Amino acid sequence: MVIPERPRLSVVMPVYNAERHLAQALESVLGQSCADFELVVVDDGSSDRSAEIVRRFAERDRRIVARFGPRRGVAAARNECVHLARAELLAVMDADDVAEPRRLEVQLGYLDGHPECVALGGQLLCIDEDGDPLWPTELPLDHDTIDARLMAGYGGALANPAAVLRRAAVIEAGGYRAHFKFGAEDFDLLLRLAELGRLANLPDILVRYRLHPASLTARSRAGQLEEAASAIRDACTRRGVARRDPEVRPAPDRSEIDELAHRAMKAREHGHARTARKYAIRTLGAAPLTPLAWRVAAMVLIGARRRSRRLQQPGDGVKRPG
């Protein structure tokens, strides 16, 4: 494959101990309908097989630019990706997510027609560790709503795993600030980008976003809130508006049973029957004597069978035999 001197997009992927899902994430990028991109991967001192997987993929596809170094943190890894990127557009990709096949094509088409947009996101389909669907996001589409939600502390108003950023704006904004240690570095950058141009989300599902059990401890959620408050205060100072604090607060940790039940009911709500059944059965297996487990089982398992029988019956007004 001939590599253009300057690709249309640079997909930027920091990696840290992501061996379980990394190959699938890389495959989803390399299989995009838009082929005019480079994939910049920075391994941030992984102690598992992540670096080996990246090297194997880089040997077979010259679009991959790979760098390996000691552990420095996600903000530093993201900044190195920005430094290495040759394209004017940076498509953010996490090492455990899955890009939909037309993600880059759809986002490139929008950005070509909207030069004022400095950060473009889209909807996510949340999936579990096995890749089974849970629920989709419903993120706002317009700049004013996105920015207002960011200023209120809703960091996911423009989902970083589906973001495409203009590299010049990222550099002008100062890049990712390394003192954010709990995962708010992308939220902070979006606030600064909103002061340089427009933010937008597409209505399309662009990325399957993988949820991990206990991916954030109570301590890290509290740290994220503190970092978000700091980023919002800085934004208020830059914008000359009254100081404000985030409206959101860290949610209490869900128990294992509560998390299983939550996934079962959310999957059921959004029509993912197989996933709902999986988590209803897991809820029963984990806590067979609890009312919650049986309530979930009744709604997901028994309710689904009753609905299936109703659909198999003749419609109203049809005379039945006998």
Side-chain angles (χ1 to χ4, degrees), residues 207-231:
V207 170
R208 281 173 273 166
Y209 175 65
R210 201 178 303 273
L211 299 178
H212 299 279
S215 57
L216 289 174
T217 64
R219 176 174 174 270
S220 65
R221 281 199 295 271
Q224 276 194 330
L225 182 64
E226 292 175 5
E227 290 184 348
S230 173

Side-chain angles (χ1 to χ4, degrees), residues 23 28 113 158 161 213 228 283 314:
S28 76
L158 193 156
T283 306

Side-chain angles (χ1 to χ4, degrees), residues 7-55:
R8 296 292 307 281
L9 296 109
S10 294
V11 181
V12 290
M13 180 189 291
V15 173
Y16 179 69
N17 286 355
E19 66 175 354
R20 179 179 176 187
H21 304 293
L22 178 56
Q24 187 181 16
L26 293 168
E27 292 280 12
S28 76
V29 174
L30 298 176
Q32 288 289 300
S33 59
C34 167
D36 190 3
F37 66 86
E38 65 178 357
L39 172 53
V40 179
V41 183
V42 172
D43 182 83
D44 189 33
S46 294
S47 58
D48 64 1
R49 294 178 53 253
S50 293
E52 176 187 337
I53 294 169
V54 172
R55 287 190 175 96

Side-chain angles (χ1 to χ4, degrees), residues 28-29 55-56 99 171 189 191 260 266 290 300 310-311:
S28 76
V29 174
R55 287 190 175 96
R56 187 172 72 244
I171 293 172
L189 177 60
L191 285 171
L260 293 172
K266 289 288 285 184
T290 62
V300 172
R310 285 199 305 271
L311 291 175

Side-chain angles (χ1 to χ4, degrees), residues 3 10 14 35 78 88 101 115 139 141-142 145 167 208 211 259 281 286 291-292 320:
I3 301 177
S10 294
R78 292 194 191 281
E88 286 303 315
L139 303 179
L141 306 183
D142 64 288
T145 306
R167 184 173 183 271
R208 281 173 273 166
L211 299 178
E259 178 62 25
I281 292 168
L292 173 62
R320 295 180 176 84

Side-chain angles (χ1 to χ4, degrees), residues 256-314:
E256 177 191 0
I257 309 307
D258 287 340
E259 178 62 25
L260 293 172
H262 173 72
R263 291 187 175 197
M265 297 309 295
K266 289 288 285 184
R268 173 182 179 270
E269 176 188 346
H270 290 282
H272 302 303
R274 188 173 68 85
T275 308
R277 288 195 298 272
K278 177 173 80 170
Y279 282 100
I281 292 168
R282 288 185 180 181
T283 306
L284 268 178
L289 302 181
T290 62
L292 173 62
W294 284 102
R295 187 163 62 248
V296 170
M299 296 183 71
V300 172
L301 302 174
I302 300 174
R305 285 198 293 271
R306 286 177 177 171
R307 181 174 182 272
S308 177
R309 284 198 298 270
R310 285 199 305 271
L311 291 175
Q312 293 171 9
Q313 292 175 350

